[in-house]
Amino acid sequence: MPPATQPAMILKEPGLAPDARRAVLDAIEPRRALPGALLPILHAVQDALGYVPRDAVPLIANALNLSRADVHGVVSFYHYFRSEPCGRHIVQICRAESCQAMGAVALEAHAKATLGVDWHETTRDGAVTLEPVYCLGNCALSPAVMIDGDLHGRVTPQSFDTLVAATRSGA
Amino acid sequence: MTTTLYVPRDAAALSVDADAVAVRIAQEAAARGIDVRIVRNGSRGLFWLEPLVEVATSAGRVAYGPVATRDVASLFDAGFLSGGSHALALGVTDDIAYLKSQDRLTYARIGVIDPLDADDYAAHGGWTGLANAAALAPADIVAAVTESGLRGRGGAAFPAGIKWKTCADAVSEQKYIVCNADEGDSGTYADRLTLEGDPFCLIEGMAIAALAVGATEGYVYIRSEYPHAFRTFSQAIDIATQAGWLGDDVAGSGRAFRLHARLGAGAYICGEETSLLESLEGRRGQVRVKPPLPAIEGLFGKPTVINNVVTLASVPIVLARGAAYYRDYGVGRSRGTLPLQLAGNVKYAGLVEKAFGLTLRELLYDYGGGSASGRPIRAVQIGGPLGAYLPASKFDTVIDYEAFAAAGGMLGHGGVVAFDDTVDMAAQARFALEFCAVESCGKCTPCRIGATRGVEVIDRIRAGVDRARNETLLRDLADTMIHGSLCALGGMAPFPVLSALDHFAEDFGARQ
Ligand SMILES: Cc1cc2nc3c(=O)[nH]c(=O)nc-3n(C[C@H](O)[C@H](O)[C@H](O)COP(=O)(O)O)c2cc1C
Ligand code: SF4
Ligand code: FES
């Protein structure tokens, strides 16, 4: 059972802007009756907002009759879910073995140096968040990179720069 | 007259610009007033040739590749629409040696059909296995799968028929079929190819499993790293449901089977079957203690068959052609075919579906063409991040579950990652434990703590600190992890480390 104080809390969720709150409720409503609804809801929230705001946790917990700790525990367990906003674009570089065998280590160093960030960080202009990923299923065309869900193969430091520049300029 | 062309829509082909090539071809055809129909097929799995463009000609489908947008005009000039010669011409697709010599059973339709055209699927032998199964008693379906010798292709190689029988024998109002499409092993992409290139084949296999064990609901758990596969597969479910292959009356059997696609969230451990079930139920993906087996108490506590994509996608051909047809491929206790996935530093990386029995060397050199860099292949990791690194002296090992185990390796999901002689095996050993530390579900100490300690010990060895003592420490730690871990993540992560120490000791610095 959720704590008794919870229904009152959701009436005025301090941290969530009205739009974000609506997005969270829209993510919850069509999915709350699904068996094992939590992951589908978290995906929908992250798809809508780019992350799962901490203040969304009580709303989700309440809808699914879970404790906040349960929901928070799930959000924090999975690498894919983020609790903080990220850059406008997400660049994932594959760190796994096949890509290593084809130069991913050098690509990773190049990316960090040119973007001026480490893993999980966002460039100062807010454009790009850099994330490691362990295999994109594109191992026959290693090294592989995914940018905003689009896959790229045989990525070299040069083609990486071109891809990032195109992403930044919205191309 | 309309000419039919094929430009793959597989994510790997898209990763090297297949969409742009398709657009360019359409533009060029329009500009020249030529009528073309462009089918977006899956990939044939010959990735160094992607984007591989095919043209339907009177001589059959002919291939050109790898095609870049800048090649398109010259292809038209060369008359490629009637099979004209060009620097990128590869001849009749089915005659390409890499493809022709394979045993494409599970992957017979991959790259051939439009993945979302259920009629095209039917025209290429699809739905026959399900139609046959619908006319059989459930026990006879299970018997066919058992007799085929099909073993799980997700890693553990457990006989599929035995698993199905356990679930079929369990008494319950509700049973489930779950497909493990988490495909977390580096160097593997066979599941992805099926999800994107022949999704109805997996749907058919799952529906057959449902009829066999009496399940009415199914889930496919697809990793979040495969957004493209998730979209394609979700569409395929809708199409198959509309066509009556799924839903309230599966293939006219009078029995229901509803299928749902679910997205993972970037946790390697969720490929482990009980962790996957936890995740489907909406929890942290922590491994469950077995028993109970999922076949008896699985999803939401109900009897559940959980199988890998390739396992389930191999079922339709067993039911369509008979158990003996499938079993006649292979050697020893490894029956049928294995879709091997060549990756890493090889010249010709791609899907090689072959009957068990070829050697690793044949795979690496006859198919792979040796290294991409032109340097000697020094080490090969098979079976994903928990697989041992094999040195050249083991390249004559036969691809067969038992032979690989005897050589200190494992076939796992069939991923084969080659490294040339520039590889630093101490760095690879370190990575194996770093990965284990990142992906540990945290349930048991040897894995959670051991992996982190192991990384530190390897760092000391690599820094030249007290090599002999630290190697002993590392081997002790590996032993603790192997014997004290609840699941194979902690229990097998030491294998790449130990194999690196055993076969490539020189990379760890001099022993004092
Ligand atoms: C750490 C770990 C990761 C695994 N990852 C996968 C995976 O990504 N895909 C898969 O099919 N099986 C994976 N397995 C094996 C599954 O636990 C299970 O054996 C398999 O889903 C059973 O299906 P099968 O019999 O058809 O192979 C993994 C096992 C472990 C211990
Ligand atoms: S070995 Fe590791 S991943 Fe497996 S149950 Fe233990 S802590 Fe979890
Ligand atoms: S290892 Fe990088 S895509 Fe598979």
Side-chain angles (χ1 to χ4, degrees):
Chain A
M1 282 296 288
T5 54
Q6 212 156 308
M9 300 277 303
I10 46 166
L11 291 177
K12 47 176 177 58
E13 209 43 72
L16 275 187
D19 282 0
R21 186 187 156 79
R22 172 88 340 249
V24 172
L25 293 174
D26 285 350
I28 293 171
E29 217 30 60
R31 298 177 181 83
R32 61 190 302 164
L34 292 175
L38 184 49
L39 264 74
I41 288 174
L42 293 175
H43 271 292
V45 170
Q46 186 155 307
D47 284 350
L49 301 174
Y51 70 115
V52 181
R54 287 175 209 286
D55 294 324
V57 169
L59 292 175
I60 299 169
N62 187 63
L64 298 183
N65 220 359
L66 296 169
S67 75
R68 293 174 188 208
D70 285 337
V71 176
H72 175 74
V74 169
V75 174
S76 62
F77 180 86
Y78 294 96
H79 301 301
Y80 182 83
F81 296 127
R82 53 180 80 245
S83 294
E84 302 294 333
C86 58
R88 291 187 295 282
H89 305 284
I90 297 182
V91 173
Q92 297 171 290
I93 299 182
C94 177
R95 290 196 69 204
E97 288 86 347
S98 173
C99 290
Q100 291 168 8
M102 293 300 280
V105 177
L107 181 64
E108 169 185 333
H110 172 83
K112 288 178 177 174
T114 53
L115 295 173
V117 296
D118 205 336
W119 294 130
H120 313 298
E121 291 178 359
T122 302
T123 53
R124 296 199 27 206
D125 61 357
V128 173
T129 300
L130 185 67
E131 294 285 355
V133 64
Y134 297 93
C135 194
L136 292 162
N138 202 23
C139 331
L141 293 168
S142 292
V145 167
M146 189 173 267
I147 302 181
D148 297 334
D150 286 334
L151 189 57
H152 302 278
R154 291 223 175 100
V155 180
T156 61
Q158 293 71 29
S159 69
F160 180 83
D161 292 346
T162 309
L163 288 169
V164 170
T167 303
R168 276 203 152 111
S169 66
Chain B
M1 203 198 78
T2 307
T3 308
T4 302
L5 283 148
Y6 298 83
V7 184
R9 49 173 288 159
D10 174 87
L14 300 185
S15 85
V16 286
D17 269 353
D19 268 347
V21 170
V23 168
R24 190 74 199 83
I25 289 174
Q27 287 170 343
E28 193 67 31
R32 295 178 188 233
I34 303 172
D35 212 11
V36 295
R37 181 174 78 102
I38 301 176
V39 174
R40 303 304 302 269
N41 55 336
S43 173
R44 299 266 190 170
L46 280 53
F47 291 103
W48 73 98
L49 297 175
E50 292 290 1
L52 181 81
V53 175
E54 290 179 78
V55 185
T57 72
S58 53
R61 276 162 73 161
V62 296
Y64 296 84
V67 177
T69 47
R70 63 171 177 279
D71 300 318
V72 170
S74 72
L75 282 166
F76 275 89
D77 291 342
F80 84 130
L81 293 182
S82 47
S85 62
H86 184 277
L88 299 177
L90 300 160
V92 173
T93 317
D94 288 337
D95 289 342
I96 297 174
Y98 197 94
L99 201 53
K100 194 174 187 178
S101 58
Q102 295 193 28
D103 305 309
R104 290 264 172 119
L105 304 187
T106 306
Y107 287 83
R109 281 173 299 261
I110 209 91
V112 176
I113 64 167
D114 174 344
L116 291 177
D117 183 339
D119 296 331
D120 204 5
Y121 179 67
H124 288 83
W127 309 122
T128 315
L130 178 55
N132 290 348
L136 288 176
D140 293 335
I141 307 175
V142 175
V145 172
T146 306
E147 281 163 27
S148 74
L150 176 64
R151 290 163 72 177
R153 303 288 189 240
F158 188 81
I162 296 181
K163 188 182 278 189
W164 288 25
K165 181 158 194 329
T166 307
C167 186
D169 289 347
V171 179
S172 176
E173 288 286 288
Q174 178 73 63
K175 296 182 189 179
Y176 295 100
I177 308 296
V178 172
C179 174
N180 188 339
D182 200 49
E183 194 158 69
D185 289 356
S186 56
T188 67
Y189 43 80
D191 296 350
R192 189 183 62 67
L193 284 180
T194 294
L195 294 168
E196 297 184 10
D198 198 12
F200 295 128
C201 183
L202 174 58
I203 290 173
E204 184 179 352
M206 292 186 75
I208 293 170
L211 295 179
V213 306
T216 52
E217 297 281 332
Y219 289 90
V220 181
Y221 186 92
I222 301 175
R223 63 201 298 256
S224 54
E225 292 83 351
Y226 287 0
H228 186 267
F230 182 78
R231 283 194 297 274
T232 305
F233 193 75
S234 300
Q235 282 175 275
I237 290 178
D238 291 343
I239 295 167
T241 306
Q242 302 236 306
W245 298 107
L246 292 172
D248 294 334
D249 178 18
V250 170
S253 65
R255 285 175 279 167
F257 182 59
R258 284 168 288 267
L259 191 55
H260 316 274
R262 285 287 173 87
L263 208 47
Y268 177 76
I269 193 58
C270 287
E272 194 284 330
E273 57 188 13
T274 61
S275 164
L276 187 155
L277 295 175
E278 286 289 306
S279 185
L280 273 179
E281 291 183 19
R283 283 192 290 274
R284 297 161 69 92
Q286 281 199 319
V287 174
R288 294 179 186 168
V289 179
K290 283 188 274 194
L293 292 171
I296 293 167
E297 265 181 56
L299 188 62
F300 301 112
K302 304 294 182 201
T304 301
V305 163
I306 175 163
N307 275 130
N308 172 255
V309 173
V310 178
T311 316
L312 289 163
S314 299
V315 167
I317 195 164
V318 170
L319 271 294
R321 308 288 290 266
Y325 177 81
Y326 190 80
R327 195 187 51 221
D328 283 349
Y329 289 87
V331 291
R333 289 175 48 220
S334 302
R335 309 313 311 178
T337 60
L338 184 65
L340 292 147
Q341 301 130 80
L342 267 173
N345 202 328
V346 287
K347 209 162 166 183
Y348 306 123
L351 182 87
V352 180
E353 183 181 3
K354 283 290 279 182
F356 288 92
L358 83 162
T359 66
L360 180 55
R361 188 181 304 282
E362 287 166 337
L363 184 65
L364 291 169
Y365 293 94
D366 296 354
Y367 285 96
S371 73
S373 59
R375 306 181 66 98
I377 297 179
R378 180 163 179 242
V380 179
Q381 188 179 35
I382 299 149
L386 313 177
Y389 282 98
L390 300 184
S393 61
K394 303 250 184 189
F395 288 178
D396 290 314
T397 307
V398 171
I399 308 265
D400 156 319
Y401 291 117
E402 280 66 41
F404 255 73
M410 64 150 176
L411 283 176
H413 186 46
V416 176
V417 179
F419 292 79
D420 73 9
D421 63 352
T422 59
V423 67
D424 173 355
M425 292 305 298
Q428 296 309 123
R430 182 189 195 279
F431 179 81
L433 291 180
E434 183 190 350
F435 179 75
C436 180
V438 171
E439 299 296 338
S440 170
C441 85
K443 189 144 175 167
C444 46
T445 320
C447 167
R448 187 173 34 122
I449 309 288
T452 306
R453 289 290 160 275
V455 170
E456 294 162 6
V457 176
I458 294 178
D459 282 344
R460 288 204 290 278
I461 294 175
R462 294 180 79 202
V465 180
D466 211 351
R467 156 83 199 253
R469 205 179 61 86
N470 277 309
E471 181 176 333
T472 308
L473 194 58
L474 185 58
R475 286 183 184 276
D476 281 352
L477 200 61
D479 197 62
T480 307
M481 289 177 71
I482 290 169
H483 296 105
S485 297
L486 181 58
C487 86
L489 180 53
M492 291 179 66
F495 291 154
V497 180
L498 294 174
S499 61
L501 274 172
D502 290 342
H503 301 304
F504 305 96
E506 61 275 23
D507 288 18
F508 291 79
R511 272 202 191 85
Q512 292 96 345

